[in-house]
Amino acid sequence: MAKNIAIYKATIDNDEFNQIKSVLDSKNDLSKVLEFEDGIKKYIGAKYAIATATSTAAVHLALSAIKLKRGDKILMSVNSFINLPEVVRHFDAEPIFIDINMEDMNIDIDKFEEALANNDSKKLRGAIITFIGGQAPDLDRIYDIVEKYGIILIEDCRASLGATYKGKKVGNLRADMTIFSTNPSPSKYAISRSGVIVTNNEEIANRAKLLRTHALTTAYDSYGNLDYVYDVVDIGHKYDLSELDAAYALAQLNKTDRFIKRRKEIAKLYEKRLSNVKHITILPHKDEHIFTQFIIKISRNRDAFARALKERGVSTGLNYIPLHLLSYYKTKYSIKITAFPNALNNYQQILSLPIYAGLSDEDVNYVCDQVIEVASQWV
């Protein structure tokens, strides 16, 4: 029987309903945001967690916390999601794109170091390093490089909550800040959104907390209302997370390890069924990969392959379209299509298959059946 398999669907049960109901039933105990932040700190093992409305808001707040200014430069992979350069441009700062390596599609660390060596300027403030699909790059080398050049490091782990590196939780290592979300999908119509900055730096944490609600210095009552006397001491914004979203995020956070376990099971099933299929390449991965995306490569005509799967009820995705191919950045910085050959070559082949905890083995096998059948007809 034909199915309709989404690329991502939130996995929810009574935990989310109960958490949200507790907010709606509360009289004056508005504390889910604090509970969520405490939960993140405990789960990651970090000193500070600053919850925000979205992961994009978390990136914006992080750059506000380091006082990013006009003309400053931030390094990032050309394989990053669109929110990273977008936020940098909101400061009238400049994103500097770096090509990827072909093994795990994370930033090419040789080219990353080369860019730092060639841009010896006080305007080069930092780097935002994305973890593609839930797999960490070579963090030890990245940490050593950023310390050598004295720049800020922000880890973009929006889709990598729960990731580990050499047995330690990402977010409690050597980065200045790490950005997480309990919703790994960039879906336009998400059930709920949340972001959080995790850091061990007290100065950054305090500044982020100040800027999170318009840089207001005031007291709030137990209902969250402003005191009638308040002051503003800087330029902030409304980045904060609502109680309802915090309640949902808390329920999702408590299931993180369960979600990771299930995604790893799905990934093994995909590998078992698709490893020797003609025209399909399964990418190598480390044991610590948490598979927020399952990315394969199609030997030719990837777009037609994706359309054929869509006709069979299987949605797919691209993680990600290289930034220099998007009209705004291509025009703004006059970037040639061939400027990042690894990312371009990779983009022409990659395809992400559905992977989320709510998928049953039957669903996964259905996806595999359709991939195998389409591949068998491919020429």
Side-chain angles (χ1 to χ4, degrees):
M1 185 176 69
K3 287 178 172 283
N4 188 8
I5 310 294
I7 186 65
Y8 173 79
K9 286 174 62 178
T11 304
I12 61 175
D13 55 29
N14 285 334
D15 293 343
E16 285 76 14
F17 290 106
N18 291 336
Q19 286 284 359
I20 290 171
K21 187 176 184 298
S22 71
V23 174
L24 298 176
D25 288 344
S26 67
K27 303 300 182 184
N28 58 3
D29 181 21
L30 299 178
S31 59
K32 287 299 176 184
V33 173
L34 294 176
E35 190 178 345
F36 173 60
E37 290 176 336
D38 287 343
I40 285 283
K41 287 188 290 184
K42 182 178 179 180
Y43 182 70
I44 299 298
K47 293 181 180 178
Y48 308 101
I50 303 94
T52 60
T54 65
S55 58
T56 299
V59 177
H60 202 290
L61 180 57
L63 295 180
S64 296
I66 66 170
K67 301 181 181 180
L68 194 71
K69 296 181 178 64
R70 180 180 184 181
D72 285 349
K73 300 178 181 181
I74 298 289
L75 293 165
M76 64 185 66
S77 168
V78 74
N79 219 37
S80 306
F81 189 54
I82 55 174
N83 64 334
L84 299 190
E86 177 183 61
V87 169
V88 171
R89 289 298 300 135
H90 274 291
F91 289 86
D92 205 12
E94 182 181 357
I96 304 295
F97 302 145
I98 308 296
D99 208 352
I100 64 170
N101 72 71
M102 294 297 287
E103 291 184 8
D104 62 9
M105 297 181 290
N106 279 312
I107 195 166
D108 185 315
I109 300 178
D110 289 333
K111 291 183 171 125
F112 174 63
E113 186 168 22
E114 182 181 329
L116 281 166
N118 293 336
N119 286 273
D120 186 16
S121 166
K122 291 182 180 179
K123 287 290 186 180
L124 208 165
R125 294 290 311 285
I128 306 176
I129 302 296
T130 297
F131 291 34
I132 295 296
Q135 180 164 231
D138 183 350
L139 290 178
D140 286 334
R141 189 172 170 207
I142 289 173
Y143 294 149
D144 289 344
I145 290 170
V146 298
E147 287 177 9
K148 174 182 176 181
Y149 287 93
I151 64 169
I152 299 282
L153 177 62
I154 301 172
E155 293 170 329
D156 170 30
C157 293
R158 177 188 61 82
S160 298
L161 179 62
T164 58
Y165 182 74
K166 296 185 176 179
K168 295 182 179 179
K169 279 281 194 321
V170 172
N172 191 26
L173 299 171
R174 292 161 58 191
D176 294 282
M177 288 176 275
T178 305
I179 307 299
F180 292 111
S181 175
T182 53
N183 174 21
S185 171
S187 170
K188 181 178 180 181
Y189 301 112
I191 292 175
S192 178
R193 292 185 174 89
S194 63
V196 62
I197 298 172
V198 171
T199 183
N200 287 324
N201 185 305
E202 183 178 10
E203 182 180 354
I204 286 175
N206 288 339
R207 180 163 169 76
K209 288 176 182 178
L210 170 68
L211 299 178
R212 177 170 55 178
T213 48
H214 305 297
L216 282 161
T217 58
T218 185
Y220 295 88
D221 66 19
S222 58
Y223 298 96
N225 298 313
L226 281 172
D227 195 352
Y228 71 97
V229 175
Y230 59 84
D231 193 12
V232 171
V233 296
D234 207 327
I235 297 297
H237 197 53
K238 188 68 171 171
Y239 300 103
D240 59 327
L241 184 65
S242 75
E243 286 286 306
L244 288 173
D245 284 315
Y248 180 89
L250 184 59
Q252 291 278 292
L253 171 64
N254 292 337
K255 301 173 187 174
T256 298
D257 289 339
R258 193 192 319 168
F259 289 166
I260 291 172
K261 182 177 182 291
R262 177 56 187 158
R263 290 198 305 268
K264 287 188 172 184
E265 291 171 352
I266 293 170
K268 284 185 178 180
L269 185 50
Y270 274 143
E271 289 180 319
K272 180 181 178 181
R273 299 252 357 241
L274 301 178
S275 287
N276 296 311
V277 175
K278 189 177 181 181
H279 303 302
I280 305 295
T281 299
I282 304 294
L283 303 181
H285 60 83
K286 302 170 186 173
D287 289 341
E288 291 179 312
H289 200 321
I290 63 170
F291 293 105
T292 44
Q293 288 114 26
F294 190 88
I295 304 171
I296 62 174
K297 287 188 176 182
I298 311 298
S299 62
R300 65 173 71 88
N301 206 349
R302 183 272 322 278
D303 292 340
F305 201 100
R307 286 194 297 271
L309 288 177
K310 185 68 173 178
E311 291 170 358
R312 294 163 178 267
V314 177
S315 296
T316 57
L318 297 176
N319 299 105
Y320 301 104
I321 299 175
L323 295 168
H324 75 298
L325 301 182
L326 303 176
S327 296
Y328 175 83
Y329 301 101
K330 181 169 57 177
T331 303
K332 175 70 178 176
Y333 299 112
S334 301
I335 305 174
K336 293 181 179 180
I337 290 176
T338 56
F340 304 98
N342 287 352
L344 179 62
N345 180 273
N346 182 73
Y347 167 65
Q348 292 169 336
Q349 301 177 66
I350 59 169
L351 196 64
S352 293
L353 299 179
I355 187 164
Y356 45 92
L359 281 175
S360 66
D361 283 0
E362 180 183 342
D363 293 333
V364 178
N365 278 311
Y366 179 83
V367 173
C368 292
D369 290 343
Q370 306 317 306
V371 171
I372 291 168
E373 189 168 341
V374 172
S376 70
Q377 301 169 2
W378 225 235
V379 293

